[in-house]
Amino acid sequence: MIEVVGVGASGLESLGPDGRRFVDAAEVVVGGARHLAMLDERPGRRLVPWPSPLLPALRQVLDEAGTCRVVVLASGDPLVSGIGSTLVRELGADAVRIHPGVSSVALARARMRWAAEDSDVVTLVGRDVDRLRRDLAPRARLVVLTSGDDAPARVASLLVEEGYAASRLTVLGDLGSPAESRTEGVAASWDGRPTPRLHLVCVECDPHPTRSARSLVPGLSETAYEHDGQLTKRVVRAAALAHLAPQPGDVLWDLGAGAGSVGIEFARAHPRNEVHAVERDPGRAARVRRNARALGVPGLRVVEAASLEAVGVLPRPDAVFVGGGATGPLLDACWAALVPGGRLVVHGVTVETELLLHEMRGRLGGSMTRVAVEDLDTIGSLHGWKPARSIVQWSVEKAVSQGDSETDS
């Protein structure tokens, strides 16, 4: 059992009796340079710094400890963007025991007087700053976990770019230590002022009056996307996502991604959703990446390949969307890969694809809908309805058998 002990910025004095007992009894203490500097060298105890890069050498460090009593020192709550999460993921929950300290998030909310239910946490630790775009909304209060001395400047620059230049930033440094600091300002005038190495950024979002907020509900405006005409229309996209029914942590295949709109909005539904957008055209694939970054889901994975070639190497999906290029072999492969309870949604615009979807529905069930959208347009000085090409939508859910339920349990 590896004991992971959370330490506050004030050092070992922040530990309770149990945490101090674990540290004192340890034969091997692993941690960052800052944490190890808190301990004195003494016979019978080895101080081991984390290797860099961490993951490739993690098991070697722990294997070398053998049967010794191992303590890992972490900052605050080790499960808040900390080493505790990594150890549980890599070694398994049974190999790790967590002893949390007060997290930086809890301290930040206390300093800001923000209730947990009225503020959100966004972690940019090990992530692209574009991830923040998803969470920007009028009146939102965000506790942003960051890394790097330039993080506040990057956050401020993104806010300005997104039309939130009036947003107030509060940088809290060395929380819980005697050197604790607080620096406040507005995104539009934020400069490269010095930032403590240990800090986070609290953001009070204040958009420009002309800036339209992007909802997390499916059906963003077409103007939110860069595209070449290969874009699932807003109303049709919302209908597709209703059938895809994203749940937290779901995996989606977006096959024939085009501009990536369906996959992007699936990813925006929850930060833990995982999307694999398959697009064979390199130009369109690059466009999907740009759209994903602009809409706050830079972690969306783009695969440049034909759909049928890609499905054999993608992780098993909870949902699959085929926006174009449906064939019998492709749909059979998608159906076979879907987890029990998974959802498959296919769009077709040609008669040939419609016939294929009728045949698939006859075999697998599901529902079919013809979606026809007409937009108001000008006819000279008057107005009339301009129809778009109608879409045939087939959606089906894979049944969960009793055997599947027992296996999952």
Side-chain angles (χ1 to χ4, degrees), residues 48-401:
V48 181
W50 286 119
S52 180
L54 174 64
L55 286 181
L58 173 61
R59 287 188 177 274
Q60 179 182 346
V61 167
L62 298 176
D63 287 344
E64 288 176 352
T67 59
C68 295
R69 291 187 295 274
V70 178
V71 165
V72 170
L73 295 183
S75 296
D77 184 345
L79 294 178
V80 177
S81 294
I83 190 63
S85 307
T86 302
L87 292 172
V88 170
R89 184 178 65 247
E90 296 295 321
L91 306 178
D94 292 340
V96 181
R97 188 157 49 199
I98 308 292
H99 307 275
V102 179
S103 71
S104 59
V105 170
L107 289 171
R109 282 174 167 153
R111 302 298 186 267
M112 299 297 294
R113 279 72 166 177
W114 289 357
E117 59 269 24
D118 296 330
S119 56
D120 296 303
V121 179
V122 182
T123 179
L124 300 181
V125 178
R127 294 171 172 83
D128 198 304
V129 69
D130 287 314
R131 163 69 182 77
L132 183 60
R133 298 180 194 271
R134 174 191 176 274
D135 295 275
L136 299 180
R139 301 173 300 281
R141 290 175 165 180
L142 306 177
V143 179
V144 185
L145 303 178
T146 58
S147 58
D149 295 346
D150 64 339
R154 289 186 285 119
V155 168
S157 177
L158 183 144
L159 289 167
V160 172
E161 183 182 331
E162 284 288 322
Y164 284 80
S167 298
R168 189 160 192 81
L169 274 64
T170 303
V171 177
L172 299 173
D174 298 311
L175 281 166
S177 78
E180 183 174 315
S181 63
R182 180 185 184 117
T183 307
E184 298 177 300
V186 174
S189 58
W190 195 268
D191 53 24
R193 66 194 75 179
T195 302
R197 190 174 67 85
L198 296 177
H199 71 273
L200 50 70
V201 183
C202 296
V203 180
E204 299 171 80
C205 293
D206 186 359
H208 191 277
T210 62
R211 198 270 185 194
S212 298
R214 297 194 188 106
S215 173
L216 295 178
V217 174
L220 290 176
S221 168
E222 281 84 355
T223 59
Y225 294 94
E226 175 190 347
H227 64 91
D228 60 359
Q230 290 296 312
L231 177 71
T232 304
K233 290 289 186 181
R234 184 178 196 171
V235 173
V236 179
R237 188 187 329 132
L241 283 154
H243 287 286
L244 291 168
Q247 300 293 317
D250 272 356
V251 175
L252 170 75
W253 295 354
D254 182 6
L255 306 181
S261 61
V262 171
I264 287 170
E265 293 189 25
F266 193 100
R268 282 171 57 83
H270 196 276
R272 289 197 288 112
N273 287 357
E274 179 182 332
V275 174
H276 302 265
V278 179
E279 174 55 58
R280 68 187 306 168
D281 182 271
R284 288 178 177 166
R287 189 176 293 116
V288 174
R289 293 187 183 96
R290 291 195 294 272
N291 282 331
R293 295 180 69 86
L295 292 169
V297 287
L300 180 146
R301 180 191 177 204
V302 179
V303 180
E304 293 185 32
S307 295
L308 191 56
E309 296 172 359
V311 296
V313 297
L314 297 177
R316 200 171 182 194
D318 300 283
V320 177
F321 175 68
V322 183
T327 65
L330 176 61
L331 298 186
D332 286 338
C334 293
W335 185 253
L338 266 179
V339 303
R343 291 82 63 197
L344 171 62
V345 176
V346 186
H347 285 180
V349 296
T350 67
V351 172
E352 289 77 10
T353 302
E354 182 175 347
L355 291 173
L356 170 63
L357 299 185
H358 276 291
E359 189 269 329
M360 297 298 296
R361 178 183 174 277
R363 286 199 290 121
L364 300 175
S367 63
M368 287 190 71
T369 305
R370 185 186 298 278
V371 184
V373 179
E374 298 184 9
D375 293 314
L376 193 66
D377 198 8
T378 56
I379 305 176
S381 61
L382 304 176
H383 294 83
W385 294 104
K386 181 180 180 180
R389 193 182 298 274
S390 62
I391 301 290
V392 173
Q393 181 185 83
W394 172 52
S395 62
V396 60
E397 182 173 321
K398 197 170 189 178
V400 179
S401 67

